Amino acid sequence: MENVHLVEDEDDIYSGYNDYNATFDSEELDNDEGFQQAVRTSHGRRPPMTAKFPGTAIGGRPIGTSFGARIPLASSLGRPVTGAIQDGAARPMTAVRAAGYTSALTRGTTFDPLGQSKGPAPPLEARNDDTPEEKIKILEKRVNELIAESCIAHSQGSLQLVSIGDLNGAKQGGRGYRKNSYPLPHTQTDGTVLFNLANQYANNDMYPEALNTYQVIVKNKMFTNAGRLKVNMANIYFKQKNYPKAIKFYRMALDQISNAHKETRIKILQNIGVVFVRMGQYSDAVTSFEHIMSESPNVRTGFNLILCYYATGDRDRMKKAFQKLIAVPLGIGEEDKYIPTNDDTHANLVTEAIKNDKLHQMERERCVDMVKSSQYVELANDLEINKAITYLRQKDFKQAVESLKMFEKKDSRVKSAAATNLSFLYFLEKDYEQADRYADLAMSADRYNPAALINKGNTCFVRQDYDKAEEFYREALRNDSSCTEALYNLGLTYKRLNRLEEALDGFLKLHAILRNSSQVMFQLAHLYELLDDPQQAMDWLMQLISVTPTDPQVLAKLGGLHDLEGDKPQALQYYSESFRHFPSNMAVIEWLGAYYIETQFCEKAIQYFERAMLIQPTQVKWQLMVASCYRRSGNYQQALETYKDIHRKFPENIECLRFLVRLCTDMGMKEVQEYATKMKKVEKMKEIREQRVRSGREGSARARREGREGSADSGNSSQGNSSRGDRLSTKLKSLPGSNEPYESSGQRDLDASYVDPLGPQTERPKTAAKKRGDESDFADEELGDDLLPE
């Protein structure tokens, strides 16, 4: 320690910074016996301690502490004391083992300070369900399940499906565990359980138990808004006919509900008024009902108020109450009030019953009479027109026509409107004569009515009098330049007259008015197609697809235009989309099948031809195409089965029999003779039919010629008839019998030729292979050794 200098001046913080300490000199460690002894004994095997307890003397000297005398550090170089025993003193305890350095390293083990080589972690402790907390959770889960089941049973009307005793037992069990084992906050759970329990008691007519349960909830200050449950208690007292208590609890609930909840307060006041009616206290009931009618009038309260005035004999107030009842808004439009809905059958029956009841008839008659007798006569005519339109909305065309016919003798304006509607109705019913007559009537009443002119033009268009139709449409446009119906019909008329440029101009003008009209876009695309401008037609069809992306006809049309332009992939995309939206278009199915056959994907073509088979099961060509696809794809067995199935359905189809003969011949099957015989019979029957048709035609022509010859040659005619009869009998004798096979009299070769309905197969590309009979150009030459492979 002679080299260690203590700091004398504590204010000098840099003193001793450059002092040399021999303790950290490692050059003489090999010759230090104390250090070498420490190295050999420091790996967990320390020399025995001479002292048994800390704080006692070691080697006759006390251990140095912060309060004791300092011990000089003795070593050969002034370094700290190690595990070596010096002067009989034991090495003090260090933290070598706590850092992970053990003597086991000298025995060949790896360095593992974190203890990761001790094996896998011990398994987790098993869940203990016997703890109070787990039991409480299980009970709460069971209680919530019972509450949910009871609510579902109540909504389904099964009041006895869930036992109230189960809910009560679960509630009491949960409370017991909370009280004795592990108290938990239970306001929400207990409130839900008690409320549901009280409702179940009330639904099962267990009113005392329900009242007690509601009372428990109301008295508990931890349940917010529990005072509203007094309404439920009042309802129970009302069912028990305990009306004074019912009024008491209704009023208590009313006091605890703020004015912000106006609807709830109105309902409670209405209940109070009903209770007073049951008690016979009509004056008190009137007070409640009048307050409701002044704050929030409704039909039910208005009826109850009228009944109370009737009971008290106050006629004047009863009239005023009836006027208030009439003024109550129903929330239904006058036009839609008597229109039946398509969903609710009961509501439709009620509407049908009240639509023509005495009160409604009286209301309608008085209303119309009052309007007619007033200075607003035109308003009465408009009401009649609206009534006819209402009949149209109800699809009651007969009533609508009868209502409109009443205006034939009215003034010009009303007559024109009624006649226009009648013309339109008859046009929809395809009664074009009546439509034309009423169109003329409307035009005679008001020549400037564009709708009447359009109806007249439509009747001319149907009769294919396009020049007249053009005149009426033009006149309608002169009267109303914004009449889109006239402009559209005028464009169609120009198309029929083959004046395509004028039709294009008209539809372009209409497109400027109706930007998103799909009909106008389609007409423009069709006009450009007729004008041999397919690119413009495709552009307009693309705009049309942006408006109606699922129209299969538009998609098919666009695919057809791309096909004409030679863009097969794009055509395939649009045709496939059209087939996806409408898989019954035969033109699209046929195109897709032909495309896949052309591109040598016969397997994909099969699904489209099978779809065509489902749509047209009596057409044999689709089934022949399916079989041909199987044959082209190399599936000869499936093709043979398909042809056999076709033959069973269409036994007289010669094409199917020819394919069967060809396939059976190629596959070496024994049935080839059977199908060949059947094909001979069918061909023979076909020849007989054709011969009969030719004979019938020749006989009818001959009969016409003989009829023109007259009766002078009757004998010759009889002789001719006899000779013809002999020839016919001879011809019939030459035919085979019914049990004999159809065979020709002479030797005739079998015609097994056929025509593939899908067209000829693609020729195999030519290669450099020689024919078998050809000789090589180098046949006579000998190969030298130099040409042979090594």
Side-chain angles (χ1 to χ4, degrees):
M1 294 293 294
E2 64 270 12
N3 295 324
V4 177
H5 302 280
L6 299 178
V7 179
E8 296 179 358
D9 188 4
E10 295 182 355
D11 295 336
D12 189 5
I13 61 176
Y14 296 104
S15 61
Y17 182 80
N18 294 322
D19 294 341
Y20 175 74
N21 191 352
T23 305
F24 302 102
D25 189 2
S26 59
E27 295 180 358
E28 299 296 333
L29 291 179
D30 293 338
N31 300 324
D32 192 345
E33 296 180 356
F35 179 78
Q36 295 298 329
Q37 182 66 20
V39 168
R40 289 191 294 271
T41 61
S42 62
H43 294 284
R45 295 180 298 172
R46 298 174 182 176
M49 304 289 294
T50 56
K52 295 183 179 181
F53 302 100
T56 59
I58 301 178
R61 291 182 295 181
I63 295 178
T65 63
S66 59
F67 295 98
R70 301 192 177 192
I71 302 175
L73 301 177
S75 67
S76 61
L77 297 177
R79 52 186 299 278
V81 178
T82 63
I85 301 176
Q86 298 178 0
D87 298 334
R91 178 177 178 272
M93 298 292 291
T94 64
V96 175
R97 189 173 185 85
Y101 301 98
T102 60
S103 60
L105 291 175
T106 59
R107 302 175 184 175
T109 59
T110 58
F111 176 71
D112 187 18
L114 300 179
Q116 297 180 357
S117 62
K118 295 181 181 179
L124 299 175
E125 296 182 359
R127 181 178 177 179
N128 188 7
D129 294 337
D130 296 333
T131 59
E133 295 87 344
E134 294 298 330
K135 290 183 178 180
I136 289 172
K137 291 180 180 179
I138 292 172
L139 284 175
E140 286 184 349
K141 183 178 179 181
R142 177 57 182 162
V143 168
N144 291 329
E145 290 176 355
L146 288 173
I147 292 172
E149 292 175 4
S150 65
C151 294
I152 294 172
H154 175 69
S155 63
Q156 295 176 352
S158 303
L159 302 180
Q160 299 296 335
L161 184 60
V162 179
S163 175
I164 297 177
D166 293 340
L167 287 172
N168 197 8
K171 174 180 70 66
Q172 295 296 337
R175 278 192 171 182
Y177 273 104
R178 288 191 182 94
K179 180 178 179 181
N180 300 325
S181 302
Y182 191 76
L184 293 172
H186 53 275
T187 303
Q188 183 177 359
T189 304
D190 277 356
T192 305
V193 172
L194 290 173
F195 180 70
N196 190 68
L197 182 61
N199 287 337
Q200 294 295 335
Y201 281 141
N203 293 331
N204 290 276
D205 298 335
M206 302 171 65
Y207 298 131
E209 291 83 355
L211 289 172
N212 293 334
T213 309
Y214 280 130
Q215 195 68 27
V216 172
I217 301 174
V218 170
K219 289 184 177 180
N220 195 337
K221 301 300 182 182
M222 299 182 68
F223 300 135
T224 59
N225 299 324
R228 298 188 180 185
L229 297 181
K230 292 181 180 180
V231 176
N232 296 7
M233 299 174 69
N235 292 337
I236 293 175
Y237 284 126
F238 180 80
K239 292 179 181 179
Q240 293 179 340
K241 297 184 179 181
N242 191 353
Y243 300 128
K245 277 216 166 186
I247 291 176
K248 176 183 177 182
F249 276 87
Y250 279 135
R251 287 178 172 172
M252 291 171 64
L254 191 64
D255 294 337
Q256 295 184 3
I257 295 175
S258 62
N259 294 327
H261 302 86
K262 182 179 178 180
E263 294 183 1
T264 305
R265 292 178 60 87
I266 292 297
K267 292 179 180 180
I268 295 175
L269 284 172
Q270 189 170 356
N271 291 350
I272 292 174
V274 172
V275 175
F276 278 128
V277 171
R278 291 294 181 92
M279 295 175 63
Q281 300 180 11
Y282 300 109
S283 301
D284 296 331
V286 164
T287 303
S288 299
F289 292 144
E290 284 182 345
H291 179 73
I292 295 173
M293 292 298 291
S294 62
E295 294 291 334
S296 178
N298 57 80
V299 177
R300 185 186 299 273
T301 305
F303 274 118
N304 292 336
L305 183 58
I306 292 173
L307 291 176
C308 291
Y309 285 137
Y310 178 79
T312 57
D314 195 344
R315 294 186 178 182
D316 295 333
R317 290 189 175 184
M318 188 168 62
K319 291 180 181 180
K320 294 180 180 180
F322 189 76
Q323 292 177 357
K324 290 181 180 179
L325 177 62
I326 294 176
V328 172
L330 298 178
I332 304 175
E334 291 295 332
E335 297 181 358
D336 302 331
K337 185 166 56 176
Y338 298 107
I339 297 178
T341 59
N342 296 325
D343 300 332
D344 193 351
T345 306
H346 179 71
N348 292 342
L349 293 175
V350 173
T351 304
E352 189 68 25
I354 66 174
K355 185 167 62 175
N356 290 319
D357 60 352
K358 293 183 178 181
L359 181 61
H360 182 245
Q361 292 176 2
M362 182 181 68
E363 175 190 4
R364 183 172 55 202
E365 292 175 359
R366 287 190 176 183
C367 179
V368 174
D369 293 338
M370 289 178 64
V371 174
K372 287 181 178 180
S373 60
S374 65
Q375 57 181 349
Y376 303 102
V377 181
E378 295 181 357
L379 181 59
N381 296 329
D382 292 338
L383 290 176
E384 291 291 342
I385 294 291
N386 290 335
K387 183 177 71 173
I389 295 174
T390 305
Y391 282 131
L392 289 178
R393 295 176 61 188
Q394 295 176 354
K395 297 182 180 181
D396 192 352
F397 297 104
K398 184 177 180 181
Q399 291 288 340
V401 170
E402 291 179 359
S403 300
L404 292 172
K405 285 184 177 180
M406 296 171 55
F407 294 96
E408 292 185 8
K409 298 181 180 180
K410 299 288 184 180
D411 58 349
S412 60
R413 190 186 65 82
V414 180
K415 183 190 297 184
S416 178
T420 301
N421 291 330
L422 284 171
S423 176
F424 177 70
L425 285 175
Y426 283 120
F427 187 84
L428 292 179
E429 293 179 353
K430 297 183 179 181
D431 190 354
Y432 301 122
E433 293 182 0
Q434 292 290 335
D436 187 64
R437 187 173 74 85
Y438 280 101
D440 291 335
L441 183 62
M443 290 171 57
S444 62
D446 185 6
R447 186 68 183 185
Y448 296 97
N449 185 358
L453 294 169
I454 291 173
N455 289 341
K456 182 63 177 178
N458 291 341
T459 57
C460 295
F461 188 92
V462 171
R463 293 196 303 266
Q464 297 182 0
D465 190 357
Y466 302 119
D467 294 329
K468 282 285 186 182
E470 178 191 357
E471 293 179 4
F472 288 114
Y473 293 143
R474 281 185 173 277
E475 187 176 355
L477 286 173
R478 285 194 296 269
N479 295 334
D480 185 5
S481 60
S482 63
C483 184
T484 56
E485 294 85 357
L487 190 57
Y488 185 88
N489 294 346
L490 183 61
L492 294 179
T493 305
Y494 284 144
K495 282 182 64 178
R496 294 298 180 90
L497 294 173
N498 202 22
R499 295 156 61 178
L500 302 181
E501 294 292 343
E502 297 180 18
L504 183 62
D505 292 339
F507 281 114
L508 287 174
K509 292 178 183 178
L510 188 59
H511 177 68
I513 302 173
L514 305 175
R515 304 293 298 181
N516 295 323
S517 177
S518 58
Q519 297 178 355
V520 176
M521 294 180 186
F522 182 81
Q523 293 295 336
L524 286 169
H526 189 225
L527 283 171
Y528 277 115
E529 184 183 2
L530 295 176
L531 291 170
D532 295 332
D533 192 351
Q535 190 61 41
Q536 286 288 341
M538 286 189 288
D539 292 342
W540 282 105
L541 288 176
M542 290 296 295
Q543 294 186 34
L544 178 56
I545 287 177
S546 65
V547 177
T548 56
T550 60
D551 192 334
Q553 296 296 334
V554 176
L555 293 169
K557 188 69 175 178
L558 195 55
L561 288 176
H562 281 286
D563 186 24
L564 292 176
E565 292 294 313
D567 192 354
K568 294 287 184 179
Q570 199 70 21
L572 175 63
Q573 177 184 353
Y574 289 115
Y575 273 122
S576 300
E577 284 294 312
S578 177
F579 177 78
R580 184 171 66 88
H581 293 295
F582 183 62
S584 299
N585 191 335
M586 295 302 300
V588 174
I589 292 174
E590 189 172 1
W591 189 93
L592 289 171
Y595 171 81
Y596 283 114
I597 289 173
E598 183 181 353
T599 55
Q600 302 297 321
F601 290 102
C602 299
E603 297 85 354
K604 292 186 177 181
I606 292 174
Q607 60 175 333
Y608 297 105
F609 292 136
E610 288 179 346
R611 172 72 66 172
M613 288 170 51
L614 295 176
I615 299 172
Q616 296 179 350
T618 59
Q619 295 289 333
V620 68
K621 68 174 183 178
W622 305 119
Q623 304 182 34
L624 290 173
M625 286 182 178
V626 172
S628 182
C629 288
Y630 282 124
R631 183 174 55 80
R632 283 171 172 263
S633 61
N635 193 351
Y636 298 107
Q637 187 64 35
Q638 186 65 33
L640 181 62
E641 296 296 330
T642 306
Y643 281 125
K644 288 182 179 180
D645 185 59
I646 296 171
H647 178 63
R648 284 192 294 270
K649 295 178 181 178
F650 304 95
E652 297 182 358
N653 187 271
I654 297 178
E655 294 295 328
C656 179
L657 288 171
R658 288 178 180 175
F659 283 121
L660 284 172
V661 171
R662 178 63 181 273
L663 280 176
C664 292
T665 303
D666 294 343
M667 299 174 69
M669 301 181 67
K670 298 179 180 179
E671 293 89 344
V672 61
Q673 188 61 34
E674 176 185 356
Y675 292 122
T677 304
K678 290 182 178 180
M679 188 170 67
K680 289 181 181 180
K681 291 181 181 180
V682 173
E683 289 178 348
K684 187 64 177 179
M685 292 173 63
K686 183 178 179 181
E687 290 178 1
I688 293 173
R689 291 194 190 98
E690 292 177 354
Q691 187 176 2
R692 288 177 180 175
V693 171
R694 286 195 300 269
S695 299
R697 290 176 182 175
E698 291 175 358
S700 61
R702 189 179 297 112
R704 287 194 297 269
R705 288 195 303 269
E706 291 174 355
R708 289 193 297 267
E709 290 178 358
S711 60
D713 300 332
S714 59
N716 295 332
S717 177
S718 299
Q719 184 178 0
N721 290 335
S722 175
S723 62
R724 281 196 301 273
D726 294 337
R727 288 196 300 271
L728 181 59
S729 62
T730 304
K731 189 177 293 183
L732 290 176
K733 289 179 181 179
S734 66
L735 295 177
S738 60
N739 296 327
E740 297 178 0
Y742 288 97
E743 295 182 358
S744 60
S745 59
Q747 186 69 23
R748 187 170 63 87
D749 295 335
L750 177 65
D751 185 12
S753 62
Y754 66 95
V755 179
D756 196 337
L758 300 180
Q761 293 186 358
T762 306
E763 294 183 359
R764 178 176 178 271
K766 295 181 179 180
T767 62
K770 294 285 186 178
K771 296 184 179 179
R772 292 185 178 180
D774 294 342
E775 296 180 358
S776 175
D777 295 339
F778 303 96
D780 297 335
E781 296 183 4
E782 295 182 357
L783 298 176
D785 295 338
D786 55 342
L787 298 178
L788 297 177
E790 295 179 0

